[in-house]
């Protein structure tokens, strides 16, 4: 906990809003997407999705292949508590929706479905997109699948798999991803492994989002390694997320942005 507090204070010290951004590309992203105040109708769907989970007091046995949980001491967990403590926040779900809407991503990979709160935001951002979402726990992804059906989200393919197994067997020559949302295993080793395995899929317009980059010191080290990679051009630290762009025409630059 002390590590997170220290990291957040450092973030606040270095962070800027749109007035401290001199890159036209990043300035437009911040002003037209991050700080977009429009009340989109899709937000009501996201709210309904979340409320449905928050009202569900049933328990499931969770199979956790990742870095574990700071909140839960047992793998038997109530669905409403998973949604409350482990799911993406309402604010960040809306930002994720706006990011997909802004860039109009068509082929999206999510690593870590959980209950599908973030998946729904990805789906609603572009209903013509194809969303592939990976989840290691069969009981968790079953809940997400049911929620997708209830909300009529038809552009989502759910894959129950260990993340590394899927990425190692995937034929990247036949398909690439415009957006990858990394929200599965919050460990340095796994994050960097997924990063390397997915590098063959990048295009000039690819956007990668890493969740919980300040989860612990090891995740901060992983984020530093990603920022320094020669193929990475622009990075944005929003504290919760690390956002990566591969635009060859851009000078290598890092931004710390308050959201």
């Amino acid at each position: 906990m002390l590590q997170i507090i220290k990291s957040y204070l450092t973030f606040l010290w270095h962070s800027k809003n749109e007035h401290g951004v001199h890159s036209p590309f990043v300035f437009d992203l911040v002003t037209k997407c991050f700080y977009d105040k429009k009340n989109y109708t899709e937000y009501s769907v996201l709210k309904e999705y979340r409320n449905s989970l928050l009202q569900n007091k049933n328990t499931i046995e969770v199979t956790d292949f990742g870095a574990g949980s700071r909140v839960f001491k047992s793998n038997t967990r109530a669905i409403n508590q998973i949604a409350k403590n482990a799911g993406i926040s309402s604010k960040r779900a809306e930002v994720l929706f706006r990011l997909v809407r802004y860039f109009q991503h068509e082929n999206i990979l999510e690593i870590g479905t959980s209950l599908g709160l973030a998946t729904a935001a990805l789906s609603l951002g572009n209903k013509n997109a194809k969303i592939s979402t990976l989840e290691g726990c069969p009981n968790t992804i079953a809940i997400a699948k049911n929620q997708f059906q209830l909300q009529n989200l038809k552009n989502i393919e759910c894959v129950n798999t260990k993340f590394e197994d899927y990425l190692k067997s995937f034929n990247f020559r036949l398909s690439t991803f415009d957006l990858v949302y990394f929200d599965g295993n919050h460990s340095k080793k796994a994050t960097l492994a997924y990063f390397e395995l997915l590098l063959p899929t990048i295009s000039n317009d690819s956007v990668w989002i890493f969740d919980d980059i300040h989860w612990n010191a090891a995740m901060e080290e992983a984020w530093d390694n990603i920022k320094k990679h020669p193929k990475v051009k622009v990075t944005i630290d929003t504290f919760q997320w690390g956002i990566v762009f591969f635009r060859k025409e851009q000078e290598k630059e890092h931004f710390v942005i308050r959201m």
Side-chain angles (χ1 to χ4, degrees):
M1 183 60 71
L2 287 176
Q3 169 70 31
I4 292 180
I5 293 171
K6 181 181 177 182
S7 296
Y8 187 62
L9 292 174
T10 302
F11 168 83
L12 290 177
W13 179 259
H14 293 288
S15 64
K16 298 177 174 62
N17 57 23
E18 74 273 23
H19 301 297
V21 175
H22 302 294
S23 162
F25 169 76
V26 177
F27 180 83
D28 282 350
L29 175 63
V30 170
T31 56
K32 298 177 182 178
C33 178
F34 288 2
Y35 297 166
D36 180 1
K37 302 300 183 184
K38 182 177 178 181
N39 187 21
Y40 292 95
T41 57
E42 287 84 357
Y43 292 171
S44 63
V45 179
L46 294 176
K47 184 177 180 180
E48 184 179 339
Y49 191 115
R50 181 180 302 276
N51 287 341
S52 175
L53 292 172
L54 291 174
Q55 292 166 15
N56 190 338
K57 297 181 181 180
N58 294 327
T59 60
I60 58 172
E61 190 72 17
V62 174
T63 305
D64 193 341
F65 295 104
S69 170
R70 289 197 181 102
V71 177
F72 300 105
K73 305 303 181 185
S74 167
N75 285 341
T76 302
R77 303 172 187 175
I79 292 168
N80 60 349
Q81 292 303 306
I82 299 173
K84 180 180 178 181
N85 295 291
I88 190 172
S89 69
S90 296
K91 178 182 177 181
R92 284 190 294 119
E94 290 175 0
V95 177
L96 193 58
F97 158 80
R98 294 199 301 270
L99 276 164
V100 177
R101 184 181 182 278
Y102 181 80
F103 287 111
Q104 282 299 289
H105 301 295
E106 294 183 352
N107 204 359
I108 298 171
L109 175 66
E110 179 186 33
I111 301 177
T113 316
S114 188
L115 297 176
L117 288 160
T119 324
L122 296 169
S123 171
L124 291 166
N126 182 4
K127 295 179 181 178
N128 294 318
K130 176 187 175 184
I131 319 293
S132 299
T133 184
L134 315 181
E135 175 55 51
C137 175
N139 295 329
T140 309
I141 203 168
I143 301 297
K145 281 183 179 179
N146 183 61
Q147 291 295 124
F148 300 153
Q149 291 175 355
L150 290 174
Q151 297 298 337
N152 200 32
L153 303 176
K154 298 180 178 180
N155 58 342
I156 302 170
E157 176 193 17
C158 298
V159 184
N160 181 207
T161 180
K162 290 185 178 180
F163 305 145
E164 197 160 348
D165 290 348
Y166 178 90
L167 297 177
K168 284 182 176 179
S169 64
F170 192 81
N171 190 341
F172 295 120
R173 291 173 297 178
L174 299 180
S175 182
T176 58
F177 301 106
D178 307 311
L179 170 68
V180 182
Y181 182 56
F182 298 80
D183 187 22
N185 188 335
H186 298 129
S187 72
K188 176 182 178 180
K189 181 180 178 181
T191 299
L192 293 178
Y194 305 157
F195 175 83
E196 293 291 342
L197 286 168
L198 281 163
L199 272 179
T201 74
I202 62 171
S203 70
N204 201 56
D205 298 321
S206 295
V207 181
W208 288 9
I209 304 172
F210 293 86
D211 191 53
D212 282 326
I213 57 171
H214 297 287
W215 174 269
N216 53 30
M219 276 299 290
E220 290 185 335
E221 290 172 8
W223 175 236
D224 284 338
N225 287 354
I226 290 166
K227 288 190 295 183
K228 294 173 184 175
H229 194 280
K231 290 188 177 180
V232 170
K233 290 297 185 178
V234 175
T235 51
I236 300 175
D237 180 347
T238 71
F239 190 73
Q240 184 69 38
W241 288 340
I243 306 177
V244 174
F245 301 90
F246 302 89
R247 295 160 53 86
K248 295 177 181 177
E249 66 271 26
Q250 299 271 155
E251 292 295 323
K252 195 172 185 72
E253 197 167 4
H254 177 63
F255 299 88
V256 182
I257 304 292
R258 294 190 297 274
M259 288 178 57

